[in-house]
Amino acid sequence: MSDIRTFEGLQIPAAGTYELDAAHKRVGFIARHLMVSKVRGQFAEATATITIGEDPLQSSVTAEIKTASVETGQVDRDNHLRTGDFFEAEKYPTIVFRSTGIKSHSGAEFVLDGELTIKDVTKPVELVVEFEGAATSPYGQSVFGFSASTEIDREDWGLTWNVALETGGVMIGKKIKIEIEGEAIRQAA
């Protein structure tokens, strides 16, 4: 039995449980800074379990991100993001995403509805997922690649810290773009 099957012209992975490959993933974000530039960051520690259904449109995902693993390339900023002004990493060590269904699809693009929990606040989000392809690795493992993105208003999750600028506007924009890229590996049944 092949690990790859065809679904509406796409070569997709066989039904089963897949885990995000820690060596091939990026869970990143982009925030506006001083209203004129962008700051990019990522969470170094994240896990995800993706269940591919016999009916691919019944697939689901659960992901967990360690808030203390935030990295933006600037130590003071990273430490500030871990405090109560933002993620409060000691009290809320994880950010969790759980899918609630596939809303739509067109070609290799799938729109995934889900719930994002940050600091014990759960709100609906919509992820646009691009299926990048399925393959068998040189180690005989069934893998597939994907990228996903969404934009959220950080204040909806209580991440409201900011500083008003003398020139108008604020230090940090409310809208945060989330970008995820990765490979998932099929787990033994």
Side-chain angles (χ1 to χ4, degrees):
M1 183 173 149
S2 174
D3 285 338
I4 298 175
R5 58 193 168 139
T6 301
F7 170 74
E8 296 185 7
L10 294 175
Q11 297 296 302
I12 66 167
T17 301
Y18 294 74
E19 297 287 332
L20 185 63
D21 181 359
H24 298 98
K25 63 115 177 81
R26 181 177 183 275
V27 178
F29 59 88
I30 301 170
R32 298 284 294 170
H33 184 249
L34 299 177
M35 311 298 287
V36 297
S37 66
K38 296 175 181 173
V39 169
R40 295 178 187 274
Q42 68 177 357
F43 292 93
E45 296 178 44
T47 58
T49 300
I50 303 158
T51 303
I52 303 293
E54 287 295 338
D55 173 353
L57 299 179
Q58 297 300 312
S59 299
S60 63
V61 62
T62 302
E64 195 170 279
I65 299 162
K66 301 290 184 198
T67 53
S69 73
V70 66
E71 300 172 342
T72 64
Q74 211 279 328
V75 173
D76 289 342
R77 178 173 47 224
D78 296 349
N79 287 335
H80 187 202
L81 287 169
R82 294 179 186 111
T83 71
D85 285 344
F86 291 97
F87 295 117
E88 205 168 345
E90 267 188 43
K91 185 173 181 183
Y92 304 105
T94 57
I95 295 170
V96 175
F97 173 81
R98 284 187 177 79
S99 67
T100 56
I102 295 176
K103 181 178 191 172
S104 65
H105 77 285
S106 176
E109 184 179 284
F110 295 79
V111 178
L112 190 64
D113 281 335
E115 297 177 335
L116 182 64
T117 302
I118 304 172
K119 292 176 76 169
D120 281 352
V121 175
T122 302
K123 299 275 185 185
V125 295
E126 187 178 278
L127 276 180
V128 176
V129 180
E130 188 75 25
F131 174 72
E132 304 286 357
T136 301
S137 77
Y139 309 105
Q141 297 171 304
S142 178
V143 301
F144 70 91
F146 65 93
S147 57
S149 64
T150 192
E151 188 172 271
I152 64 169
D153 181 334
R154 65 187 176 89
E155 292 186 354
D156 289 346
W157 283 268
L159 304 173
T160 58
W161 185 90
N162 224 330
V163 173
L165 302 175
E166 286 183 24
T167 55
V170 291
M171 182 180 291
I172 305 166
K174 291 187 341 177
K175 298 289 184 192
I176 305 295
K177 183 168 186 179
I178 299 171
E179 299 175 326
I180 304 161
E181 295 179 31
E183 287 180 16
I185 302 172
R186 186 170 187 183
Q187 302 304 293

